Amino acid sequence: MSKKVLVISASPRTGGNSDILCDEFIRGAEDAGHTAEKIFLKDKNINYCTGCGLCNTNNYTACSIKDNMSEILDKMVNADIIVLATPVYFYTMNGQMKTFIDRCCARYTHITNKDFYFIATAADDRPAALDRTFDGFRGFIDCLENVKEKGLIYGSGVWMKGEIKNTQAFKDAYEKGKNI
């Protein structure tokens, strides 16, 4: 059965290391017969949550902020698989990803029955240096109903654009996409 894969890339660089891993995951998923779409957060207008509470009063179906977030949330609700990818800044996810996650508040009760994969890349060569980032992703999915963490892709020890292509993480991204 073909699945809908939605990849959310917080990379500020097209062709950056975390972005390359997104593309490999997608290549694997498509080679296995699934459909996939990648959303670049850098190309979207996503403002900060203001804590106004409108979503709380509308069964988590509305947000007072009018930007690109509602279209992304619709895609998340309709996806079977969601991949969250970020470069690691100061041992956690970058600001674009955190802002995106915070804005999921408007529909988080509708993001159910999903499998999640997490991708992180960092200059630090210790895989454990990415654990705090993955824990941040887990904090998000802990708030969702009937979701599963299905895989982690550790892209450690890469700094320069493209370095990830010579790592195990590059192979892992393709294999995880192919085996969803």
Side-chain angles (χ1 to χ4, degrees):
M1 180 174 116
S2 179
K3 295 182 180 179
K4 292 181 192 172
V5 179
L6 182 64
V7 177
I8 308 293
S9 175
S11 177
R13 305 185 293 181
T14 302
N17 291 312
S18 61
D19 184 42
I20 289 169
L21 292 180
C22 290
D23 290 343
E24 275 304 287
F25 190 100
I26 289 169
R27 190 170 73 86
E30 289 177 341
D31 283 354
H34 305 290
T35 60
E37 177 182 2
K38 180 172 64 173
I39 295 174
F40 268 113
L41 296 182
K42 72 177 185 66
D43 293 339
K44 300 297 182 182
N45 177 26
I46 301 174
N47 295 300
Y48 300 107
C49 178
T50 62
C52 71
L54 178 65
C55 57
N56 291 324
T57 61
N58 285 291
N59 193 29
Y60 294 97
T61 58
C63 182
S64 65
I65 301 169
K66 303 305 173 209
D67 58 13
N68 296 132
M69 197 61 199
S70 64
E71 70 188 55
I72 298 170
L73 286 168
D74 286 344
K75 290 178 182 193
M76 290 178 77
V77 168
N78 291 314
D80 299 304
I81 310 286
I82 298 174
V83 179
L84 301 178
T86 184
V88 174
Y89 293 174
F90 298 99
Y91 298 101
T92 192
M93 68 185 71
N94 70 2
Q96 293 91 325
M97 180 58 74
K98 179 61 173 129
T99 298
F100 164 77
I101 287 173
D102 289 348
R103 286 294 305 288
C104 287
C105 185
R107 303 258 328 260
Y108 83 96
T109 61
H110 301 259
I111 304 169
T112 61
N113 306 308
K114 312 284 179 216
D115 290 340
F116 278 84
Y117 291 82
F118 305 138
I119 297 172
T121 57
D124 194 313
D125 62 357
R126 298 170 299 131
L130 305 175
D131 288 342
R132 198 174 303 157
T133 301
F134 293 134
D135 284 344
F137 284 143
R138 288 181 185 118
F140 169 55
I141 69 167
D142 282 349
C143 297
L144 308 178
E145 190 175 317
N146 198 32
V147 300
K148 294 178 187 131
E149 176 186 315
K150 295 294 278 188
L152 305 174
I153 300 168
Y154 284 84
S156 56
V158 294
W159 177 263
M160 301 304 294
K161 203 173 183 178
E163 282 183 313
I164 199 71
K165 290 179 181 178
N166 300 316
T167 69
Q168 184 61 44
F170 186 75
K171 296 172 192 159
D172 289 347
Y174 177 83
E175 288 302 319
K176 281 188 174 38
K178 189 174 180 181
N179 293 306
I180 54 174

